[in-house]
Amino acid sequence: MKIGFWNISENQNILNLIADFASDLDILILLECTISPNDILRKLNQNTTNFYYSPSIIDGTYFHVFTKLISKFSAPVKESKRIIARTIVDPIWGNFTLIIIHFQSKLFWDESNQDAHSFEIKIFIDDVEKTVGHKRTIVVGDFNMNPFQNGMIQTTGLHATMDKNTARKISRTVGEIRYDFFYNPMWSFFGEKGKGITNGTFYYNSSKPICYFWNILDQVIIRPSLLDNFNEESLKIL
């Protein structure tokens, strides 16, 4: 199953680009997209009916989700304005939980506030996994944090490690509390020798003393139970 995520900042005259992007996908996720879902759906299905629109169950979310799966194979579990969860039934690998996030922007929240609030993401994920009864979970979206930021790596946040072997240990105990791991493959894109054709998902040239230039704010993280099903070579920043 192939999943594509695109945080669209420019919504004019890009329907053809969206259709091209989605041509080989099973699930298309668009963030901050003001184009009508009906217009997008007509473009996606202009030659044959492949995609369905999977609307949110609450108003005001940031996401448009289009899927080749009928509704009973892509069912909402829990939603808020900035994070939603769907149970996905894959005909080959079985069911898993897809969580889509748009975390608070660095334009309005500094890293300290993001790190402090990352606990709320953990609570959401833990609650969803308790509801569905398993931890076959993928989280994708605009985290608005770099992989090395505290909110991404701390136990009370996403607890996402760059090391697959560490993630396969499932969890670690800190202060007598067990915290489950996520594996974060996005670290591999950093640097000139990194994976892919670009060093990140967002370039920002700041006049401040500390500037990373390339940032990886759009990410995917995966629970260890799904690692055997994950083709890491298929992960790309386009």
Side-chain angles (χ1 to χ4, degrees):
M1 175 171 287
K2 293 184 178 181
I3 301 170
F5 171 81
W6 188 358
N7 187 343
I8 297 178
S9 58
E10 173 56 62
N11 290 319
Q12 302 299 319
N13 303 317
I14 60 169
L15 281 173
N16 287 332
L17 290 176
I18 292 174
D20 288 343
F21 176 57
S23 61
D24 197 31
L25 299 178
D26 298 294
I27 298 175
L28 168 66
I29 304 161
L30 301 178
L31 177 61
E32 295 187 295
C33 178
T34 59
I35 302 173
S36 164
N38 291 333
D39 291 341
I40 297 172
L41 200 60
R42 279 192 291 269
K43 188 65 179 180
L44 294 177
N45 294 330
Q46 62 181 344
N47 296 320
T48 181
T49 302
N50 288 321
F51 280 93
Y52 303 89
Y53 180 54
S54 181
S56 297
I57 57 178
I58 65 171
D59 294 331
T61 62
Y62 287 83
F63 315 96
H64 287 328
V65 180
F66 302 88
T67 172
K68 292 180 179 177
L69 303 170
I70 60 176
S71 59
K72 68 178 181 179
F73 294 149
S74 176
V77 179
K78 182 179 181 179
E79 294 193 358
S80 67
K81 186 176 180 180
R82 289 189 174 271
I83 184 168
I84 66 176
R86 305 285 174 90
T87 289
I88 305 296
V89 178
D90 187 308
I92 297 176
W93 297 108
N95 64 317
F96 64 93
T97 304
L98 176 63
I99 296 178
I100 309 167
I101 185 171
H102 182 214
F103 199 45
Q104 301 285 350
S105 171
K106 292 184 184 298
L107 291 174
F108 308 106
W109 285 27
D110 63 19
E111 290 192 4
S112 296
N113 285 292
Q114 288 180 323
D115 296 342
H117 197 65
S118 65
F119 181 62
E120 298 298 326
I121 308 175
K122 172 180 166 50
I123 291 174
F124 183 98
I125 295 171
D126 288 348
D127 184 56
V128 168
E129 291 180 333
K130 182 178 180 180
T131 298
V132 300
H134 62 77
K135 294 181 181 291
R136 293 170 56 86
T137 305
I138 298 172
V139 187
V140 63
D142 185 355
F143 291 75
N144 268 312
M145 295 183 285
N146 275 298
F148 51 79
Q149 191 173 322
N150 287 344
M152 292 298 301
I153 63 174
Q154 66 193 31
T155 55
T156 54
L158 278 304
H159 202 209
T161 175
M162 72 172 80
D163 181 20
K164 191 180 295 183
N165 290 328
T166 297
R168 289 188 187 276
K169 296 177 182 178
I170 308 299
S171 65
R172 68 185 176 114
T173 299
V174 177
E176 300 182 356
I177 300 175
R178 186 173 69 90
Y179 297 94
D180 292 326
F181 281 116
F182 276 103
Y183 170 60
N184 189 346
M186 303 303 297
W187 286 84
S188 300
F189 290 93
F190 278 124
E192 292 299 321
K193 299 295 184 180
K195 178 181 177 180
I197 59 174
T198 181
N199 294 331
T201 67
F202 181 72
Y203 184 84
Y204 179 64
N205 187 356
S206 170
S207 60
K208 296 178 181 179
I210 297 176
C211 180
Y212 301 129
F213 297 100
W214 277 109
N215 300 267
I216 299 180
L217 307 181
D218 306 286
Q219 302 179 58
V220 56
I221 58 176
I222 304 159
R223 284 294 195 204
S225 57
L226 286 173
L227 288 180
D228 289 340
N229 302 339
F230 174 54
N231 179 5
E232 191 152 359
E233 294 307 311
S234 68
L235 178 63
K236 298 178 181 179
I237 298 174
L238 301 180

